[in-house]
Amino acid sequence: MNETGYQNFEDLIVWQKSRDLKNEIFQLVKSFPPEEKYRLIDQVIRSSRSINSQIAEGHGKRTNKDKIKYCMQARGSLSETLNHLIDASDCSYISAEQLKYFRSKLDELERILNGYIKYLKSLPPEG
């Protein structure tokens, strides 16, 4: 946080954790078969990138109501990412252990995101 008290989206723990997840998934999909490049690989990369993109975009909105809306969209992308990883497991592109690992990371991120949403909802209305 800077001297004015304004917190940049990069300072948010939820954004930092989602960035870490996005980067780990990017490394993970490098082992997927080439025929999945424009299918599952593209989908899981897009959904994982959407999580922290939505958090960042929401942070830049003026009202808490808008910030919450974008956080809810990030939560949807989080669920979509898990679904794609389950698909990858079903196709034997990742092991049960890898799925368990990413599921725990996604669960942790969801708890942090839900806490951030709860915090935003607790703030007094703007205006």
Side-chain angles (χ1 to χ4, degrees):
M1 198 174 306
N2 65 25
E3 296 166 10
T4 64
Y6 176 79
Q7 187 177 34
N8 187 298
F9 71 84
E10 294 170 286
D11 296 328
L12 297 172
I13 299 294
V14 69
W15 183 86
Q16 294 169 7
K17 294 275 189 183
S18 65
R19 180 183 182 202
D20 292 343
L21 174 72
K22 170 198 71 167
N23 290 333
E24 281 192 65
I25 287 175
F26 182 73
Q27 294 305 314
L28 175 73
V29 299
K30 289 180 178 182
S31 67
F32 288 17
E35 64 267 17
E36 290 291 352
K37 182 175 183 178
Y38 298 109
R39 297 185 298 217
L40 187 56
I41 292 172
D42 185 56
Q43 289 179 312
V44 74
I45 286 174
R46 285 174 179 263
S47 65
S48 66
R49 285 179 178 172
S50 178
I51 299 166
N52 72 328
S53 295
Q54 294 293 337
I55 293 166
E57 187 171 357
H59 184 272
K61 297 298 179 181
R62 185 172 295 279
T63 68
N64 290 332
K65 183 178 178 181
D66 284 337
K67 293 176 200 287
I68 292 165
K69 180 181 109 178
Y70 280 88
C71 285
M72 300 294 245
Q73 290 173 346
R75 199 165 62 188
S77 294
L78 199 146
S79 294
E80 181 184 359
T81 300
L82 175 58
N83 183 72
H84 293 318
L85 292 171
I86 291 168
D87 289 345
S89 176
D90 290 347
C91 294
S92 300
Y93 300 152
I94 63 172
S95 68
E97 272 306 304
Q98 286 173 306
L99 178 59
K100 182 179 177 183
Y101 170 79
F102 280 101
R103 185 185 294 272
S104 81
K105 290 202 66 113
L106 288 159
D107 287 347
E108 176 191 19
L109 183 53
E110 185 174 25
R111 282 191 300 277
I112 295 168
L113 183 56
N114 285 338
Y116 184 51
I117 292 168
K118 185 176 180 180
Y119 164 74
L120 290 171
K121 286 180 176 180
S122 75
L123 296 174
E126 300 85 0

